Amino acid sequence: MTLIKPRTLSGFRDYLPAAMIPRERLMQTAREVFRSFGFAPIDTPTLEYLEILTGKGSDETDRQIYRFEDNGGREVAMRFDLTVPLARFAAQHISTLGTPFKRYHIAPVWRGERPQAGRYREFVQCDFDTIGTTNVMADIETVAVINRLLETIGLDRFTICINNRAVLSELLRHLQLQDKSVELLRCLDKLAKIGRDQVAAEMCQVAAISEDQANQVLQLAELDGPANEIFERLPEITGGGDEALAAIQRLRDVYDGALASGVPNRRIKIDVSIARGLDYYTGMIFETTLNDLPSIGSICSGGRYDNLAGLYTKQHLPGIGASLGLDRLLAAMEQLEMLPKITTPAVAFVAYFDEAHRSDYLRLAANLRSGGIATEVYPDPKKLGLQLKYADAHGFRFALIAGESEWQAGKVQVKTLATKESIDVDYSHEDPGALIAILTQ
Amino acid sequence: MTLIKPRTLSGFRDYLPAAMIPRERLMQTAREVFRSFGFAPIDTPTLEYLEILTGKGSDETDRQIYRFEDNGGREVAMRFDLTVPLARFAAQHISTLGTPFKRYHIAPVWRGERPQAGRYREFVQCDFDTIGTTNVMADIETVAVINRLLETIGLDRFTICINNRAVLSELLRHLQLQDKSVELLRCLDKLAKIGRDQVAAEMCQVAAISEDQANQVLQLAELDGPANEIFERLPEITGGGDEALAAIQRLRDVYDGALASGVPNRRIKIDVSIARGLDYYTGMIFETTLNDLPSIGSICSGGRYDNLAGLYTKQHLPGIGASLGLDRLLAAMEQLEMLPKITTPAVAFVAYFDEAHRSDYLRLAANLRSGGIATEVYPDPKKLGLQLKYADAHGFRFALIAGESEWQAGKVQVKTLATKESIDVDYSHEDPGALIAILTQ
């Protein structure tokens, strides 16, 4: 028989245990943090009507989407993000769900783009959103969730950059440039990359504004320093109209609220330069960078939008949310050497070499599991050396060794694999407490 | 603008929080139990080369598969189970992974079959397998995992039916019917459904065997009673050849090993009638039924196979595994009223009605979360009655109420929503201990 060559499609990948263990832990942490704020899980179908998914799509999205005709002749497509499905979901179910509706959704999405280094055609998105309220409390909470999420993952040195897009909009209105905001925001987004002069030149060219106007916009975008100084200077720079002042107050309320929620001051930065390309953000926007790896870009971004589901319903559904960049974060944690190099989720390894005592090994393992210790028993009675090599290679913390003499003496030998140190510990099936205590130290 | 009607494809469904909360909890329990035995998570792509997925497929599978040509002109398909991807994965990576290789995989699969009541075109499979060992220890462990899984989920009254297909094969060899095993196994699988006489008639017809032969096969399949009695009678019924005795001994070892692993006797049943239709099981097979809902069929099934990945590699990879029927189990738990009727994962609800104390509400919630209590703050300062209605409808356990007078007095009112009872509890941001203690009681 001819063999079929085992392989994956370009842009897709297998996750072996070494990669999947930290990935799964991260998703689990995200779930727990979202839940701790009262966000509830939802799921939506992988396949949707093409029309539903591309309703608002740009040409760019259309080209990237995986679409086909199903057996029933329907034009269907695989979801390319979790935002469009959320919009459809909210339009369809909001009368059942009620508002405010707080959901998280962790699920894969697919884009047929040309695969590049670190970019895949299948990747997991990890979104949370609060729908149906415009209150600043939801804005504050978004910052608090981002902070607790990264903190719980084990990160400490990160910066949540916050901005209110309305501040810039008010300045543009003051300068009578409100019609050019989309172009100007796109230019501003490049500030960190191409620098002030280039951005100024581009603004003048793309949006046909004067050098003086460009300078006023850039004066705002380049505001830097402690939050209080920025809040002091903003009224003057934006022209100080009522709506500008309200926008500034909102930004200040989010900042103060985040502090009250326990976000350390050092982790929040008012950054009036961030605009985020997407046109649909209208209020607060967030980006989060790692202080020790700024080059990888934002690992958690989001913002406030005016109306989520306008394509599907007349009901006005404002909301706010953010998305954790799971793959980017994992890549960063690998660079920061924060990922354990293990290929087993278990802690204890039980060597199995005396078949006459099969039941004893089984009972030992069952007792340890009942004591909360994840335990693997080697299935074949092979040479001890080979079994210990297996245990070492997979990253178990402890190997438990018991042969005829240990079983007779009511002992188990506990070997700490990292140090190679061994001790004998009292053990009987009826009283496994001493052993459990050693293994959970 | 014309609205697009929000809807899902036939055979697909949204999971609202009420359905997704228990679903996610079940998946999380499965992960934890698998890990506690040293099974490691993996993931594989949703899309694979069509050739990879259909290599071994029957016509039935081919008709059901979602397949299409991608933008690069490749024939691709969405996975329809997790076993074929595991086979491809193992063939591709086993030299990196080594054996024994223990993995679990919890992921959606797709089949374009005609949707029926309770059957969907997208559903989650939840598989665990041990590859690269033929030792009975892996067979025993499979039973132990099934038991701990269902026990941890909260089930008590279930029965794990175990059988060794080799026992039946040896009888068929003894009767010189080994060439007809596939047909006979298919007939036997219907025993519970259509009864002895019908099965006997079908056997004679389909496999062209004598009535006497059919009776001998059925005598084995109908063996019932306590395990020890069955083990006593099996040698005689199967002809008592060496290989028959070895097959019986294996079944006995699995039974004894499961008991040693802590599986209660009342939950294991030797059932020599179960054969499981799939041809590729060769040794031990398992089915699990709920004693109070036998009609829903097996909720966790599996068995031992000789060679997993023969389509993709010459390396012989024997294994054993089982699959939890997540959707069937959830449906059963709903019938048994084991699912909580909640739409929030949080425990405590903080009413928010005094905007002047915004920071106090935020600090209160942050303190509770740090104390391990999932806490939601209502985002809008609406009327208290409306907020409490929201809390009630979502199934929070506690509502926390504090207005000006409570904040002044250093108190928070704690309302238990099920009983409507309220008590005042001392609280300050610096010392939230008393409140946390009340909420975690």
Side-chain angles (χ1 to χ4, degrees):
Chain A
M1 196 181 73
T2 320
L3 294 177
I4 300 171
K5 185 174 187 282
R7 66 211 192 278
T8 52
L9 288 159
S10 166
F12 290 81
R13 58 182 157 170
D14 288 324
Y15 290 94
L16 276 63
M20 196 63 193
I21 289 171
R23 189 177 177 78
E24 202 172 64
R25 186 172 304 163
L26 216 59
M27 288 191 269
Q28 183 54 18
T29 300
R31 282 185 207 106
E32 282 164 11
V33 170
F34 294 152
R35 283 184 212 146
S36 77
F37 283 83
F39 290 85
I42 69 161
D43 203 5
T44 66
T46 292
L47 291 178
E48 301 244 16
Y49 283 102
L50 179 66
E51 170 195 56
I52 294 272
L53 294 187
T54 55
K56 206 182 184 174
S58 59
D59 289 351
E60 182 64 20
T61 309
D62 282 359
R63 266 202 308 281
Q64 292 184 357
I65 205 166
Y66 280 101
R67 48 183 285 183
F68 59 97
E69 198 175 282
D70 75 3
N71 290 342
R74 287 168 287 252
E75 285 288 336
V76 303
M78 297 168 79
R79 65 172 169 238
F80 59 88
D81 73 2
L82 302 180
T83 304
V84 175
L86 173 63
R88 194 268 307 149
F89 180 97
Q92 197 169 336
H93 303 295
I94 202 69
S95 60
T96 307
L97 299 164
T99 57
F101 172 57
K102 295 166 72 168
R103 82 87 175 84
Y104 66 90
H105 193 184
I106 303 177
V109 302
W110 295 268
R111 292 184 195 167
E113 59 195 337
R114 189 171 297 279
Q116 302 162 15
R119 304 269 286 190
Y120 290 88
R121 287 174 167 159
E122 174 175 54
F123 54 97
V124 166
Q125 288 201 334
C126 186
D127 289 14
F128 66 99
D129 286 81
T130 302
I131 294 165
T133 174
T134 55
N135 197 288
V136 71
M137 284 292 267
D139 303 30
I140 295 166
E141 186 169 78
T142 307
V143 182
V145 171
I146 295 173
N147 176 65
R148 191 172 283 260
L149 183 54
L150 297 180
E151 199 173 74
T152 311
I153 285 166
L155 293 162
D156 175 38
R157 293 172 40 78
F158 57 87
T159 303
I160 307 172
C161 298
I162 70 174
N163 186 20
N164 185 356
R165 237 194 198 185
V167 172
L168 182 65
S169 302
E170 288 307 319
L171 170 65
L172 296 181
R173 211 150 66 97
H174 178 64
L175 300 174
Q176 296 188 300
L177 295 175
Q178 63 268 41
D179 296 342
K180 302 186 168 167
S181 70
V182 171
E183 295 93 318
L184 292 172
L185 289 178
R186 286 211 183 116
C187 294
L188 271 186
D189 256 351
K190 302 182 193 165
L191 189 56
K193 219 182 275 177
I194 63 176
R196 182 203 170 94
D197 293 351
Q198 287 250 36
V199 168
E202 210 168 285
M203 279 178 167
C204 296
Q205 197 195 345
V206 174
I209 66 174
S210 71
E211 213 169 304
D212 190 49
Q213 286 174 316
N215 276 331
Q216 280 186 270
V217 174
L218 279 163
Q219 192 189 8
L220 175 70
E222 288 191 320
L223 258 186
D224 201 1
N228 282 339
E229 277 176 31
I230 293 180
F231 288 129
E232 259 168 47
R233 295 197 51 204
L234 276 175
E236 181 211 326
I237 294 179
T238 55
D242 282 355
E243 275 155 349
L245 293 181
I248 295 164
Q249 185 59 42
R250 177 105 180 181
L251 184 56
R252 187 165 212 152
D253 285 345
V254 175
Y255 179 78
D256 292 341
L259 295 181
S261 302
V263 183
N265 189 293
R266 66 191 154 90
R267 290 195 189 139
I268 322 178
K269 184 174 154 53
I270 308 293
D271 184 344
V272 275
S273 79
I274 57 166
R276 299 199 59 68
L278 293 168
D279 304 342
Y280 87 128
Y281 288 122
T282 50
M284 291 299 306
I285 41 183
F286 311 105
E287 290 189 353
T288 314
T289 49
L290 298 175
N291 302 356
D292 300 317
L293 272 180
S295 61
I296 63 156
S298 176
I299 50 165
C300 194
S301 312
R304 178 168 277 290
Y305 40 85
D306 244 358
N307 192 14
L308 177 69
L311 281 175
Y312 317 105
T313 178
K314 284 181 182 164
Q315 193 175 346
H316 187 71
L317 291 172
I320 185 162
S323 183
L324 177 72
L326 193 74
D327 292 296
R328 197 177 275 192
L329 183 55
L330 277 164
M333 290 175 76
E334 190 161 12
Q335 276 194 57
L336 296 172
E337 299 186 349
M338 289 176 67
L339 300 182
K341 294 205 184 325
I342 52 168
T343 53
T344 178
V347 170
F349 173 83
V350 176
Y352 168 55
F353 50 89
D354 185 348
E355 285 188 88
H357 285 280
R358 187 193 289 146
S359 312
D360 288 316
Y361 294 106
L362 291 167
R363 289 188 70 180
L364 167 63
N367 277 334
L368 294 181
R369 285 181 204 117
S370 295
I373 298 158
T375 303
E376 174 166 334
V377 185
Y378 198 81
D380 295 290
K382 292 188 179 168
K383 281 188 188 151
L384 184 59
L386 190 144
Q387 294 192 40
L388 291 178
K389 216 171 137 188
Y390 171 94
D392 233 0
H394 282 76
F396 290 89
R397 276 187 64 200
F398 303 106
L400 308 195
I401 301 159
E404 180 60 32
S405 59
E406 280 88 357
W407 291 121
Q408 288 289 342
K411 301 262 180 204
V412 166
Q413 188 189 330
V414 176
K415 184 171 180 145
T416 304
L417 287 162
T419 61
K420 315 264 180 224
E421 285 172 297
S422 289
I423 49 166
D424 280 353
V425 181
D426 288 335
Y427 172 81
S428 74
H429 297 316
E430 293 68 33
D431 185 11
L435 181 58
I436 290 170
I438 291 279
L439 300 180
T440 44
Q441 256 173 15
Chain B
M1 196 181 71
T2 319
L3 293 177
I4 301 170
K5 185 173 187 282
R7 66 211 192 278
T8 53
L9 288 159
S10 165
F12 290 81
R13 58 182 157 171
D14 288 324
Y15 290 94
L16 273 64
M20 194 63 193
I21 289 170
R23 190 176 175 78
E24 202 173 65
R25 188 174 301 164
L26 216 60
M27 289 193 268
Q28 182 55 17
T29 301
R31 283 186 206 107
E32 280 165 12
V33 170
F34 294 152
R35 284 184 212 147
S36 78
F37 282 83
F39 289 85
I42 69 160
D43 202 5
T44 65
T46 291
L47 291 178
E48 299 244 15
Y49 283 102
L50 179 66
E51 168 194 58
I52 294 273
L53 294 186
T54 56
K56 205 182 185 175
S58 60
D59 288 352
E60 183 63 20
T61 309
D62 282 359
R63 266 202 310 281
Q64 292 183 358
I65 205 166
Y66 280 101
R67 48 183 285 183
F68 59 98
E69 198 176 283
D70 75 4
N71 291 341
R74 287 167 289 251
E75 284 288 336
V76 303
M78 296 168 79
R79 64 173 171 239
F80 58 88
D81 74 2
L82 302 180
T83 304
V84 175
L86 174 63
R88 194 267 308 148
F89 180 97
Q92 196 170 336
H93 303 296
I94 201 69
S95 59
T96 307
L97 299 164
T99 57
F101 172 56
K102 296 166 71 168
R103 83 87 175 82
Y104 66 90
H105 193 183
I106 303 176
V109 303
W110 296 268
R111 293 183 196 167
E113 58 195 338
R114 190 172 295 279
Q116 302 161 16
R119 304 269 286 188
Y120 290 88
R121 287 175 166 159
E122 174 175 55
F123 53 98
V124 166
Q125 288 201 334
C126 186
D127 288 14
F128 66 99
D129 286 82
T130 302
I131 293 164
T133 175
T134 55
N135 197 289
V136 71
M137 284 292 265
D139 302 30
I140 295 166
E141 186 168 79
T142 306
V143 182
V145 171
I146 295 172
N147 177 65
R148 191 172 282 260
L149 183 54
L150 297 181
E151 200 173 73
T152 311
I153 285 166
L155 293 161
D156 175 39
R157 292 172 41 77
F158 57 88
T159 304
I160 307 172
C161 299
I162 70 173
N163 186 20
N164 185 357
R165 236 193 201 186
V167 173
L168 182 66
S169 303
E170 288 307 319
L171 170 65
L172 296 182
R173 211 150 65 99
H174 178 65
L175 300 174
Q176 297 189 299
L177 294 175
Q178 64 268 41
D179 296 342
K180 302 185 169 169
S181 69
V182 172
E183 296 93 316
L184 292 173
L185 289 179
R186 285 210 184 116
C187 294
L188 272 186
D189 257 352
K190 302 182 194 165
L191 190 55
K193 221 182 273 177
I194 65 176
R196 181 200 170 95
D197 293 350
Q198 287 249 35
V199 168
E202 210 169 286
M203 278 179 169
C204 295
Q205 197 197 344
V206 176
I209 67 174
S210 72
E211 212 169 302
D212 189 50
Q213 286 174 315
N215 277 330
Q216 280 187 269
V217 174
L218 279 163
Q219 193 190 7
L220 176 69
E222 288 190 321
L223 258 186
D224 202 0
N228 282 338
E229 279 176 30
I230 293 180
F231 288 128
E232 259 168 46
R233 295 197 50 204
L234 276 176
E236 182 210 324
I237 294 179
T238 54
D242 281 355
E243 274 155 349
L245 293 181
I248 295 163
Q249 184 59 44
R250 177 106 181 180
L251 184 56
R252 187 165 213 152
D253 285 346
V254 175
Y255 179 78
D256 292 342
L259 295 181
S261 302
V263 184
N265 189 293
R266 66 190 156 90
R267 290 197 189 137
I268 322 178
K269 184 174 155 53
I270 308 293
D271 185 344
V272 275
S273 79
I274 56 165
R276 299 198 58 68
L278 293 168
D279 304 341
Y280 88 127
Y281 289 121
T282 51
M284 293 299 307
I285 41 184
F286 311 106
E287 289 189 354
T288 314
T289 49
L290 297 176
N291 302 357
D292 300 317
L293 273 180
S295 61
I296 63 155
S298 176
I299 50 164
C300 194
S301 312
R304 176 167 279 290
Y305 39 87
D306 245 358
N307 193 13
L308 175 69
L311 281 176
Y312 316 106
T313 177
K314 286 181 180 163
Q315 192 175 348
H316 188 71
L317 291 173
I320 185 162
S323 183
L324 177 72
L326 193 74
D327 292 296
R328 197 176 276 193
L329 182 55
L330 277 164
M333 290 174 75
E334 191 160 11
Q335 277 195 56
L336 296 171
E337 299 187 350
M338 289 176 65
L339 301 183
K341 294 207 185 321
I342 52 169
T343 53
T344 177
V347 170
F349 173 83
V350 175
Y352 168 55
F353 50 90
D354 186 347
E355 285 188 89
H357 285 280
R358 186 193 290 146
S359 311
D360 288 316
Y361 295 106
L362 291 167
R363 288 187 71 180
L364 167 64
N367 276 335
L368 294 180
R369 285 180 205 118
S370 295
I373 298 157
T375 303
E376 175 166 335
V377 185
Y378 198 82
D380 294 290
K382 292 187 178 167
K383 281 188 189 153
L384 185 58
L386 191 144
Q387 294 192 39
L388 291 177
K389 214 170 139 188
Y390 171 94
D392 233 359
H394 282 76
F396 290 89
R397 277 188 63 202
F398 303 106
L400 309 195
I401 300 160
E404 179 62 30
S405 58
E406 282 87 357
W407 291 121
Q408 287 290 342
K411 301 260 180 206
V412 166
Q413 187 189 330
V414 176
K415 184 171 181 143
T416 303
L417 288 163
T419 62
K420 314 265 180 224
E421 284 172 297
S422 289
I423 49 167
D424 280 352
V425 181
D426 287 335
Y427 172 82
S428 74
H429 297 315
E430 292 68 34
D431 184 12
L435 181 58
I436 289 170
I438 292 279
L439 300 180
T440 46
Q441 255 172 16

